Amino acid sequence: MKDTYRHKGMRRQLIEELRRKGITDERVLQAMEHLPRHYFLDKAFEEHAYEDKPFPIGHEQTISQPYTVAFQTELLRVRKRDKVLEIGTGSGYQAAVLALMGARVFTVERYEALYRSAKELLEALGMKNARCFFRDGSKGLPEFAPFDRIIATAGATEVPEALKKQLAVGGILVIPVGAEVQDMRRIVRTSETEFIEEDTGSFRFVPFLGGTEPAMPGKTPP
Ligand code: SAH
């Protein structure tokens, strides 16, 4: 893994592009300027890592577009030391952004192969405050609940009850909801029984699916 001046330069330009597109949270922008996105992509996409686009990461999944990562992270209003649950580890990029912002990250992935490679990468980057789990995220992570913040990076047809339940009072849940196109929904838990919900914009995500996909026995993950 090598982060060159060229990469840094391209990253600065990407950050300027995110600003032009309306991202204003300096803490989000700083974390994304700091984090080499090309580490999270296949070598074949290295040249394109700082374009504002999603890319395939295997198993028909994608690393989200930088604008989407920035938009969701901004909505989440993460504070240092917040306990954050992410559903959909994928490449591990979003988890790393949250960890760099000082959150205690718990990230869940249903593909074992993706879980393994993200875990390995986050460890190699020394991100001790990001913990990876191979699970069906629709059930959340009850043994670590409640969470101050929850973010889903796959499009759900409805908001899993378990996620609302595992949100601390005063906590924020950001989740794309919808079948073909998703509304980015922000849900704030205002009391034990009350939630305020708002839709903030349209996005397109890979689907939020149930169950898990174990890696093939005897096969090493890509
Ligand atoms: N945050 C990721 C984006 C990955 S795409 C990144 O920064 O790269 C969304 C991911 O959600 C996919 O890897 C998909 O396998 C995963 N996913 C979908 N449904 C899930 C579920 N129920 N539990 C856990 N992960 C899920």
Side-chain angles (χ1 to χ4, degrees), residues 57 61-64 69 86-95 108-111 114 135-138 153-154 206-211:
I57 54 172
Q61 306 307 316
T62 56
I63 180 173
S64 302
V69 173
E86 180 196 20
I87 311 300
T89 312
S91 67
Y93 179 76
Q94 172 76 71
V108 179
E109 172 58 53
R110 62 181 294 281
Y111 272 100
L114 292 175
R135 297 273 185 98
D136 172 5
S138 61
T153 63
V206 295
F208 194 111
L209 301 170

Side-chain angles (χ1 to χ4, degrees), residues 9 77 80 94 102 108 130 144 146 178 187 191 201:
R77 305 212 184 296
K80 278 209 169 78
Q94 172 76 71
V108 179
F144 294 100
I187 302 174
S191 75

Side-chain angles (χ1 to χ4, degrees), residues 156-178:
T157 45
E158 54 192 290
V159 182
E161 268 313 304
L163 299 187
K164 287 172 86 168
K165 218 164 150 181
Q166 292 173 30
L167 193 61
V169 172
I172 303 175
L173 163 61
V174 172
I175 182 168
V177 186

Side-chain angles (χ1 to χ4, degrees), residues 58-161:
H59 307 277
E60 297 174 335
Q61 306 307 316
T62 56
I63 180 173
S64 302
Q65 184 179 340
Y67 175 73
T68 307
V69 173
F71 189 88
Q72 282 196 283
T73 313
E74 185 165 89
L75 280 179
L76 211 54
R77 305 212 184 296
V78 181
R79 303 157 305 180
K80 278 209 169 78
R81 305 278 307 147
D82 267 350
K83 237 166 104 179
V84 182
L85 172 64
E86 180 196 20
I87 311 300
T89 312
S91 67
Y93 179 76
Q94 172 76 71
V97 169
L98 293 165
L100 274 179
M101 292 175 72
R104 292 175 288 159
V105 183
F106 298 75
T107 182
V108 179
E109 172 58 53
R110 62 181 294 281
Y111 272 100
E112 189 175 9
L114 292 175
Y115 149 77
R116 282 201 207 152
S117 47
K119 181 176 157 64
E120 208 168 281
L121 177 56
L122 293 170
E123 277 171 12
L125 293 174
M127 301 224 166
K128 294 200 175 62
N129 51 342
R131 296 172 62 178
C132 299
F133 298 84
F134 169 48
R135 297 273 185 98
D136 172 5
S138 61
K139 301 187 176 70
L141 210 55
E143 69 269 44
F144 294 100
F147 294 96
D148 303 303
R149 303 288 187 261
I150 300 178
I151 174 174
T153 63
T157 45
E158 54 192 290
V159 182
E161 268 313 304

